[in-house]
Amino acid sequence: MIDRPPLSPPQGAVLLPVRPDAGRFLVLTAVFVCAACGLVYELELVALASYLIGDSVTQASVVLSVMVFAMGIGSLLAKRLRCRAAVGFGLLESLLALVGGCSAMVLYAAFAWIGDSSFVLVAFSLAIGVLIGAEIPLLLTLIQRISRRDAEGTVADLFAADYVGALVGGLAFPFLLLPLFGQLTGGLLTGAVNAVAGGSLVLWLFRRDLTARSRGWLLVANVMVLVVLATATVLVDDFERAARRAVYGDQVRVAIHTDVQEIVLTGAPSGPPDLFLDGRLRVSGRDEYRYHEALVHPAMRGPHARVLILGGGDGLAAREVLRYPDVRTVTVVERDPGVVRLARGDPALARLNGQAYRDPRVRVATSDAFSWLRAPRDSYDVVISDLPDPGITPSTKLYSQEFYALGARVLARGGRLVVHAGPVAARPRTYWTVDATLRAAGFGTTPYRATGRLAGFSAGPDRSIGTASAPPDWGFLLAAPRRPPELALDPRAPRLRSLTRAVLAEDAWGAERTRLLGLPASTLVHPRYTD
């Protein structure tokens, strides 16, 4: 018998507590988990920034482009850590878990107490991108130290695990984390998973590659990160309440998350309430009547036995419709049943809408307005579009030519459609774009506006939290498949028409459309709508 020396790892390899194939599998599992956590961090920043700042397309573009750029920087910086890949990866994951897990809370805190979270958003996008970008080079070094065979196959396996992990993280965020835990708690739990995965891989699988001092520091770092994340999780409810008070004021009466949006109702129990949906002031109890009266009453001139309200789950448009005794049915299509429940059950909001949902003529359909109109429906004399402002990205399809074509299908002969199209003075381009879209869908339109918003008060359905003042008017479009009915104008209308034309003249595109199409710059004026 010939005595053979025990097999030793190849040069540069590391001794593992498991077989090389098992070690390779564990590293790929860590890649999978880290990729899932990294994508959750990105989606959390996009979602929260869209909620706080608005314009989801812009926020997604900023976060993703900054992160991809930062990931390139992180990959370059990781070259300096390859000589101590295990220690570097362990510290990197601890820092990423802390930064990524707490990013949503810090972003929300900056918005609530500082007022501008744009710079914080960019800073977190850069930091998280750099840390994510450094992961793959370090993991590739670690997996090659386990086995140097089939280097090309190793790279393919590594990227496959990374991409599949990103898929799982992208699906887990909207379908698991948000519904079960919410944005803040979901982010903190993701950070904890990230810390456990990274720490376990290094402290157990690569423990023989670490000095005793390195193991101690990594263990302390991971424990401290988990303690911070656990403490933040325990205090997250108190934090949210304090942040809401800072954003909405001290009189927050209701704050709930539905499957669709966040609903916040503020105001004294005996006073007029303010309703916020996803951070935007949907109803101002102090001057909402100006908006809803201007929205509803011009369209009610003519047959109005059957009325369809798209949106308007707060019941305030229905209140105005029900003032007409010859109305037989009112159908409210609202996508969020939570808004309808609040409008029915909250004493202040139910008092404001005149207990509209107790009227037997009112029926509620819980559905997205676009989807609801696609199914065959009864015809209506009046269709009222009380939907989110056209300047909000998620509402774009509700101001499309296809949507208005669907609306035309449910209009009875001689029926009218009225649309809130945003402020004329502040956003003339948006307003006239809605007008052009209606005309392209086969409608004739009569533009008008209502003035008299309370100065310095962010009222109406198109304002977001944190704004200092509201636009000076609400713009509407009264439309019909044929010649639209004339509006009864106040004697002051000629003066206000000239003011509207002056505003439009500031926008060359809007002024040119007014000249070419001969659009009357009409202005609905009522004594209650003026200052």
Side-chain angles (χ1 to χ4, degrees):
M1 297 290 294
I2 300 175
D3 293 331
R4 295 179 179 178
L7 293 176
S8 59
Q11 186 177 4
V14 63
L15 289 172
L16 301 176
V18 295
R19 295 171 58 87
D21 289 343
R24 180 189 180 94
F25 173 79
L26 291 174
V27 173
L28 293 176
T29 302
V31 173
F32 171 86
V33 174
C34 293
C37 293
L39 195 64
V40 169
Y41 299 146
E42 294 181 26
L43 294 176
E44 278 191 344
L45 287 178
V46 170
L48 192 57
S50 301
Y51 164 69
L52 296 176
I53 306 173
D55 193 353
S56 58
V57 172
T58 299
Q59 305 314 321
S61 300
V62 169
V63 170
L64 297 180
S65 59
V66 170
M67 274 196 172
V68 171
F69 167 74
M71 287 168 64
I73 297 176
S75 297
L76 294 175
L77 295 176
K79 293 192 295 185
R80 297 178 176 271
L81 299 175
R82 292 183 63 186
C83 59
R84 303 192 64 187
V87 176
F89 181 75
L91 291 175
L92 182 143
E93 291 305 300
S94 298
L95 185 58
L96 179 59
L98 180 64
V99 174
C102 296
S103 60
M105 287 189 72
V106 176
L107 186 63
Y108 196 10
F111 182 86
W113 283 284
I114 299 176
D116 184 7
S117 54
S118 301
F119 294 107
V120 178
L121 174 67
V122 173
F124 271 105
S125 300
L126 277 171
I128 294 174
V130 168
L131 295 173
I132 291 175
E135 285 179 328
I136 292 297
L138 294 179
L139 285 166
L140 183 60
T141 301
L142 291 176
I143 202 170
Q144 286 179 337
R145 296 193 63 186
I146 295 175
S147 174
R148 294 185 179 274
R149 294 177 302 171
D150 190 16
E152 294 179 357
T154 298
V155 173
D157 292 341
L158 196 69
F159 280 104
D162 184 70
Y163 295 148
V164 174
L167 170 66
V168 172
L171 295 177
F173 178 71
F175 297 115
L176 179 64
L177 292 175
L178 278 183
L180 294 182
F181 305 108
Q183 285 187 340
L184 302 186
T185 304
L188 294 169
L189 292 178
T190 302
V193 171
N194 199 165
V196 170
S200 300
L201 180 73
V202 174
L203 291 173
W204 182 71
L205 187 63
F206 291 96
R207 64 178 183 269
R208 297 178 183 175
D209 201 32
L210 304 173
T211 64
R213 183 176 181 181
S214 298
R215 283 197 300 271
W217 279 112
L218 285 176
L219 183 62
V220 170
N222 277 273
V223 170
M224 290 181 63
V225 168
L226 290 174
V227 168
V228 170
L229 295 175
T231 304
T233 303
V234 172
L235 299 176
V236 70
D237 290 337
D238 294 333
F239 169 82
E240 284 194 272
R241 284 192 290 269
R244 285 198 188 100
R245 285 195 298 270
V247 172
Y248 298 105
D250 294 330
Q251 295 181 332
V252 176
R253 299 178 53 238
V254 177
I256 56 175
H257 287 273
T258 69
D259 293 337
V260 177
Q261 59 197 341
E262 182 190 52
I263 304 174
V264 176
L265 192 69
T266 67
S270 58
D274 295 333
L275 176 64
F276 293 84
L277 302 181
D278 268 348
R280 291 176 174 81
L281 184 55
R282 179 64 181 168
V283 172
S284 160
R286 296 172 59 190
D287 66 355
E288 58 78 21
Y289 69 89
R290 302 172 186 262
Y291 167 83
H292 289 99
E293 290 181 2
L295 173 71
V296 171
H297 294 301
M300 299 295 285
R301 294 173 58 86
H304 51 249
R306 294 158 300 178
V307 179
L308 171 64
I309 301 175
L310 302 175
D314 48 52
L316 298 171
R319 175 198 66 196
E320 297 301 321
V321 171
L322 294 172
R323 297 186 189 279
Y324 296 81
D326 49 346
V327 170
R328 294 205 305 266
T329 63
V330 180
T331 301
V332 179
V333 180
E334 170 60 53
R335 69 170 184 152
D336 190 352
V339 175
V340 177
R341 285 194 298 268
L342 189 64
R344 281 175 170 158
D346 183 80
L349 190 54
R351 184 169 58 250
L352 190 65
N353 65 36
Q355 304 289 346
Y357 286 112
R358 292 188 179 182
D359 194 300
R361 295 173 289 175
V362 177
R363 296 179 296 182
V364 178
T366 302
S367 176
D368 172 72
F370 196 102
S371 302
W372 190 87
L373 287 174
R374 297 183 70 174
R377 299 293 173 189
D378 297 332
S379 59
Y380 296 89
D381 301 305
V382 180
V383 176
I384 299 171
S385 180
D386 187 16
L387 295 167
D389 186 73
I392 301 172
T393 306
S395 68
T396 301
K397 70 175 183 178
L398 304 178
Y399 292 86
S400 64
Q401 185 175 338
E402 293 78 8
F403 180 74
Y404 294 135
L406 293 173
R409 293 197 314 179
V410 302
L411 278 176
R413 184 176 181 84
R416 285 87 61 208
L417 165 68
V418 64
V419 176
H420 165 245
V424 182
R427 293 200 297 272
R429 184 181 295 273
T430 299
Y431 180 85
W432 290 112
T433 298
V434 176
D435 175 85
T437 306
L438 278 165
R439 288 177 173 269
F443 286 91
T445 62
T446 299
Y448 68 98
R449 69 174 183 170
T451 59
R453 280 185 166 183
L454 298 182
F457 188 76
S458 300
D462 57 344
R463 304 308 303 151
S464 59
I465 53 179
T467 52
S469 61
D473 61 11
W474 294 277
F476 305 93
L477 291 162
L478 183 59
R482 295 179 178 84
R483 183 179 178 182
E486 294 296 329
L487 291 176
L489 297 177
D490 185 271
R492 292 169 291 176
R495 176 178 65 86
L496 292 172
R497 280 198 209 99
S498 64
L499 289 176
T500 304
R501 288 197 179 99
V503 171
L504 293 175
E506 295 177 5
D507 183 274
W509 183 84
E512 182 66 9
R513 287 202 64 262
T514 302
R515 184 183 66 81
L516 292 175
L517 298 177
L519 297 179
S522 307
T523 305
L524 174 69
V525 180
H526 185 281
R528 293 183 67 185
Y529 304 157
T530 57
D531 292 327

Short mmCIF file of all heavy atoms in Angstrom, two decimals, residues 303-339:
data_model
loop_
_atom_site.label_atom_id
_atom_site.label_comp_id
_atom_site.label_asym_id
_atom_site.label_seq_id
_atom_site.Cartn_x
_atom_site.Cartn_y
_atom_site.Cartn_z
N PRO A 303 -81.99 66.97 -20.47
CA PRO A 303 -82.44 65.71 -19.84
C PRO A 303 -81.38 65.19 -18.87
O PRO A 303 -80.19 65.17 -19.18
CB PRO A 303 -82.61 64.77 -21.04
CG PRO A 303 -82.79 65.67 -22.22
CD PRO A 303 -81.98 66.90 -21.94
N HIS A 304 -81.81 64.77 -17.70
CA HIS A 304 -80.85 64.29 -16.70
C HIS A 304 -81.48 63.24 -15.79
O HIS A 304 -81.17 63.19 -14.59
CB HIS A 304 -80.31 65.46 -15.88
CG HIS A 304 -81.38 66.36 -15.31
ND1 HIS A 304 -81.58 67.64 -15.74
CD2 HIS A 304 -82.31 66.15 -14.36
CE1 HIS A 304 -82.58 68.20 -15.08
NE2 HIS A 304 -83.03 67.30 -14.22
N ALA A 305 -82.33 62.41 -16.33
CA ALA A 305 -82.98 61.38 -15.51
C ALA A 305 -81.98 60.32 -15.06
O ALA A 305 -82.06 59.80 -13.94
CB ALA A 305 -84.13 60.74 -16.27
N ARG A 306 -81.03 59.99 -15.93
CA ARG A 306 -80.04 58.96 -15.61
C ARG A 306 -78.65 59.59 -15.66
O ARG A 306 -78.23 60.09 -16.71
CB ARG A 306 -80.15 57.81 -16.62
CG ARG A 306 -81.47 57.05 -16.53
CD ARG A 306 -81.75 56.33 -17.82
NE ARG A 306 -81.85 57.26 -18.95
CZ ARG A 306 -82.05 56.89 -20.21
NH1 ARG A 306 -82.14 55.62 -20.51
NH2 ARG A 306 -82.14 57.81 -21.16
N VAL A 307 -77.96 59.54 -14.55
CA VAL A 307 -76.66 60.21 -14.42
C VAL A 307 -75.61 59.18 -14.04
O VAL A 307 -75.83 58.34 -13.16
CB VAL A 307 -76.72 61.34 -13.37
CG1 VAL A 307 -75.35 62.01 -13.23
CG2 VAL A 307 -77.78 62.36 -13.74
N LEU A 308 -74.47 59.26 -14.69
CA LEU A 308 -73.31 58.41 -14.40
C LEU A 308 -72.18 59.28 -13.89
O LEU A 308 -71.82 60.27 -14.53
CB LEU A 308 -72.87 57.66 -15.66
CG LEU A 308 -71.55 56.88 -15.58
CD1 LEU A 308 -71.65 55.75 -14.57
CD2 LEU A 308 -71.15 56.35 -16.96
N ILE A 309 -71.63 58.94 -12.73
CA ILE A 309 -70.49 59.66 -12.15
C ILE A 309 -69.29 58.72 -12.15
O ILE A 309 -69.32 57.67 -11.50
CB ILE A 309 -70.79 60.15 -10.72
CG1 ILE A 309 -72.01 61.07 -10.70
CG2 ILE A 309 -69.57 60.86 -10.13
CD1 ILE A 309 -72.44 61.49 -9.31
N LEU A 310 -68.25 59.08 -12.88
CA LEU A 310 -67.02 58.30 -12.93
C LEU A 310 -66.06 58.88 -11.90
O LEU A 310 -65.63 60.03 -12.01
CB LEU A 310 -66.42 58.37 -14.33
CG LEU A 310 -67.33 57.87 -15.46
CD1 LEU A 310 -66.67 58.11 -16.81
CD2 LEU A 310 -67.68 56.41 -15.27
N GLY A 311 -65.71 58.09 -10.89
CA GLY A 311 -64.98 58.61 -9.74
C GLY A 311 -65.99 59.16 -8.75
O GLY A 311 -67.12 58.69 -8.66
N GLY A 312 -65.56 60.16 -7.99
CA GLY A 312 -66.51 60.80 -7.08
C GLY A 312 -67.00 59.92 -5.96
O GLY A 312 -68.14 60.06 -5.50
N GLY A 313 -66.15 59.01 -5.47
CA GLY A 313 -66.56 58.15 -4.37
C GLY A 313 -66.83 58.88 -3.08
O GLY A 313 -67.47 58.33 -2.18
N ASP A 314 -66.38 60.15 -2.97
CA ASP A 314 -66.66 60.94 -1.78
C ASP A 314 -68.12 61.34 -1.67
O ASP A 314 -68.56 61.84 -0.64
CB ASP A 314 -65.78 62.19 -1.75
CG ASP A 314 -65.79 62.93 -3.08
OD1 ASP A 314 -66.89 63.24 -3.60
OD2 ASP A 314 -64.70 63.21 -3.62
N GLY A 315 -68.91 61.17 -2.75
CA GLY A 315 -70.33 61.47 -2.72
C GLY A 315 -70.70 62.92 -2.93
O GLY A 315 -71.89 63.27 -2.91
N LEU A 316 -69.73 63.78 -3.17
CA LEU A 316 -70.02 65.21 -3.26
C LEU A 316 -70.62 65.59 -4.62
O LEU A 316 -71.51 66.45 -4.69
CB LEU A 316 -68.74 66.00 -2.99
CG LEU A 316 -68.18 65.79 -1.59
CD1 LEU A 316 -66.80 66.41 -1.46
CD2 LEU A 316 -69.11 66.34 -0.54
N ALA A 317 -70.15 64.97 -5.69
CA ALA A 317 -70.80 65.20 -6.98
C ALA A 317 -72.22 64.63 -6.97
O ALA A 317 -73.15 65.23 -7.51
CB ALA A 317 -69.98 64.57 -8.11
N ALA A 318 -72.39 63.47 -6.33
CA ALA A 318 -73.74 62.89 -6.22
C ALA A 318 -74.66 63.82 -5.43
O ALA A 318 -75.85 63.93 -5.74
CB ALA A 318 -73.65 61.52 -5.55
N ARG A 319 -74.13 64.49 -4.42
CA ARG A 319 -74.94 65.45 -3.66
C ARG A 319 -75.53 66.52 -4.56
O ARG A 319 -76.71 66.86 -4.46
CB ARG A 319 -74.06 66.10 -2.59
CG ARG A 319 -74.72 67.20 -1.79
CD ARG A 319 -73.67 68.05 -1.09
NE ARG A 319 -72.84 68.80 -2.05
CZ ARG A 319 -71.67 69.36 -1.75
NH1 ARG A 319 -71.17 69.25 -0.53
NH2 ARG A 319 -71.00 70.02 -2.69
N GLU A 320 -74.71 67.05 -5.47
CA GLU A 320 -75.20 68.09 -6.36
C GLU A 320 -76.22 67.54 -7.36
O GLU A 320 -77.20 68.20 -7.69
CB GLU A 320 -74.03 68.73 -7.11
CG GLU A 320 -73.02 69.43 -6.21
CD GLU A 320 -73.67 70.54 -5.39
OE1 GLU A 320 -74.54 71.26 -5.92
OE2 GLU A 320 -73.30 70.68 -4.20
N VAL A 321 -75.99 66.32 -7.85
CA VAL A 321 -76.93 65.71 -8.79
C VAL A 321 -78.28 65.48 -8.14
O VAL A 321 -79.34 65.71 -8.75
CB VAL A 321 -76.35 64.39 -9.34
CG1 VAL A 321 -77.40 63.64 -10.15
CG2 VAL A 321 -75.10 64.66 -10.19
N LEU A 322 -78.27 65.05 -6.90
CA LEU A 322 -79.52 64.72 -6.19
C LEU A 322 -80.34 65.96 -5.84
O LEU A 322 -81.47 65.82 -5.35
CB LEU A 322 -79.20 63.92 -4.93
CG LEU A 322 -78.60 62.52 -5.18
CD1 LEU A 322 -78.14 61.90 -3.87
CD2 LEU A 322 -79.60 61.63 -5.89
N ARG A 323 -79.82 67.13 -6.07
CA ARG A 323 -80.62 68.33 -5.86
C ARG A 323 -81.75 68.44 -6.90
O ARG A 323 -82.70 69.20 -6.69
CB ARG A 323 -79.74 69.59 -5.94
CG ARG A 323 -78.66 69.68 -4.86
CD ARG A 323 -77.94 71.01 -4.93
NE ARG A 323 -76.78 71.06 -4.07
CZ ARG A 323 -76.80 71.29 -2.75
NH1 ARG A 323 -77.95 71.49 -2.15
NH2 ARG A 323 -75.67 71.33 -2.05
N TYR A 324 -81.64 67.69 -7.97
CA TYR A 324 -82.67 67.72 -9.02
C TYR A 324 -83.69 66.61 -8.73
O TYR A 324 -83.35 65.41 -8.81
CB TYR A 324 -82.04 67.51 -10.39
CG TYR A 324 -81.09 68.63 -10.79
CD1 TYR A 324 -79.78 68.67 -10.32
CD2 TYR A 324 -81.53 69.67 -11.60
CE1 TYR A 324 -78.92 69.69 -10.67
CE2 TYR A 324 -80.67 70.71 -11.96
CZ TYR A 324 -79.38 70.72 -11.49
OH TYR A 324 -78.53 71.75 -11.84
N PRO A 325 -84.92 66.95 -8.42
CA PRO A 325 -85.90 65.92 -8.02
C PRO A 325 -86.28 64.96 -9.14
O PRO A 325 -86.75 63.85 -8.86
CB PRO A 325 -87.11 66.75 -7.57
CG PRO A 325 -86.95 68.08 -8.24
CD PRO A 325 -85.48 68.31 -8.34
N ASP A 326 -86.08 65.35 -10.41
CA ASP A 326 -86.47 64.47 -11.51
C ASP A 326 -85.36 63.51 -11.91
O ASP A 326 -85.49 62.79 -12.91
CB ASP A 326 -86.91 65.29 -12.72
CG ASP A 326 -85.93 66.40 -13.08
OD1 ASP A 326 -85.05 66.69 -12.25
OD2 ASP A 326 -86.05 66.96 -14.18
N VAL A 327 -84.25 63.47 -11.17
CA VAL A 327 -83.22 62.46 -11.39
C VAL A 327 -83.73 61.12 -10.90
O VAL A 327 -84.18 61.00 -9.75
CB VAL A 327 -81.91 62.84 -10.68
CG1 VAL A 327 -80.92 61.68 -10.70
CG2 VAL A 327 -81.27 64.07 -11.32
N ARG A 328 -83.68 60.10 -11.76
CA ARG A 328 -84.20 58.78 -11.38
C ARG A 328 -83.11 57.86 -10.83
O ARG A 328 -83.32 57.15 -9.86
CB ARG A 328 -84.88 58.12 -12.58
CG ARG A 328 -86.14 58.83 -13.05
CD ARG A 328 -87.06 57.88 -13.78
NE ARG A 328 -86.40 57.20 -14.87
CZ ARG A 328 -86.41 57.61 -16.14
NH1 ARG A 328 -87.06 58.73 -16.45
NH2 ARG A 328 -85.80 56.93 -17.09
N THR A 329 -81.94 57.85 -11.48
CA THR A 329 -80.85 56.98 -11.04
C THR A 329 -79.52 57.72 -11.11
O THR A 329 -79.29 58.51 -12.03
CB THR A 329 -80.74 55.70 -11.90
OG1 THR A 329 -80.42 56.06 -13.24
CG2 THR A 329 -82.04 54.91 -11.85
N VAL A 330 -78.66 57.44 -10.15
CA VAL A 330 -77.29 57.96 -10.13
C VAL A 330 -76.36 56.77 -9.91
O VAL A 330 -76.45 56.10 -8.88
CB VAL A 330 -77.08 59.01 -9.02
CG1 VAL A 330 -75.64 59.52 -9.05
CG2 VAL A 330 -78.06 60.16 -9.15
N THR A 331 -75.50 56.52 -10.88
CA THR A 331 -74.55 55.42 -10.77
C THR A 331 -73.16 56.00 -10.53
O THR A 331 -72.66 56.80 -11.33
CB THR A 331 -74.53 54.56 -12.04
OG1 THR A 331 -75.85 54.05 -12.28
CG2 THR A 331 -73.56 53.40 -11.90
N VAL A 332 -72.53 55.61 -9.42
CA VAL A 332 -71.19 56.07 -9.06
C VAL A 332 -70.22 54.92 -9.30
O VAL A 332 -70.37 53.84 -8.71
CB VAL A 332 -71.12 56.54 -7.60
CG1 VAL A 332 -69.71 56.98 -7.24
CG2 VAL A 332 -72.11 57.66 -7.35
N VAL A 333 -69.23 55.13 -10.16
CA VAL A 333 -68.21 54.12 -10.45
C VAL A 333 -66.94 54.56 -9.74
O VAL A 333 -66.27 55.51 -10.15
CB VAL A 333 -67.97 53.98 -11.96
CG1 VAL A 333 -66.90 52.92 -12.22
CG2 VAL A 333 -69.26 53.62 -12.67
N GLU A 334 -66.59 53.89 -8.67
CA GLU A 334 -65.44 54.22 -7.83
C GLU A 334 -64.57 52.98 -7.67
O GLU A 334 -65.07 51.92 -7.31
CB GLU A 334 -65.90 54.73 -6.47
CG GLU A 334 -64.81 54.89 -5.42
CD GLU A 334 -63.72 55.87 -5.85
OE1 GLU A 334 -64.06 57.01 -6.21
OE2 GLU A 334 -62.53 55.48 -5.80
N ARG A 335 -63.29 53.11 -7.94
CA ARG A 335 -62.40 51.94 -7.89
C ARG A 335 -62.03 51.52 -6.48
O ARG A 335 -61.64 50.38 -6.26
CB ARG A 335 -61.13 52.21 -8.69
CG ARG A 335 -60.21 53.25 -8.07
CD ARG A 335 -58.87 53.30 -8.78
NE ARG A 335 -57.96 54.22 -8.13
CZ ARG A 335 -56.64 54.09 -8.15
NH1 ARG A 335 -56.09 53.08 -8.78
NH2 ARG A 335 -55.88 54.97 -7.55
N ASP A 336 -62.13 52.41 -5.51
CA ASP A 336 -61.71 52.11 -4.14
C ASP A 336 -62.92 52.05 -3.23
O ASP A 336 -63.49 53.09 -2.87
CB ASP A 336 -60.73 53.17 -3.64
CG ASP A 336 -60.07 52.77 -2.33
OD1 ASP A 336 -60.48 51.75 -1.74
OD2 ASP A 336 -59.14 53.46 -1.90
N PRO A 337 -63.35 50.87 -2.81
CA PRO A 337 -64.50 50.79 -1.91
C PRO A 337 -64.24 51.45 -0.57
O PRO A 337 -65.18 51.82 0.14
CB PRO A 337 -64.73 49.28 -1.76
CG PRO A 337 -63.42 48.65 -2.10
CD PRO A 337 -62.79 49.54 -3.13
N GLY A 338 -62.97 51.62 -0.20
CA GLY A 338 -62.65 52.28 1.07
C GLY A 338 -63.10 53.73 1.09
O GLY A 338 -63.52 54.24 2.14
N VAL A 339 -63.04 54.42 -0.05
CA VAL A 339 -63.50 55.80 -0.11
C VAL A 339 -65.01 55.85 0.09
O VAL A 339 -65.53 56.71 0.82
CB VAL A 339 -63.11 56.44 -1.46
CG1 VAL A 339 -63.69 57.83 -1.58
CG2 VAL A 339 -61.60 56.48 -1.61
#
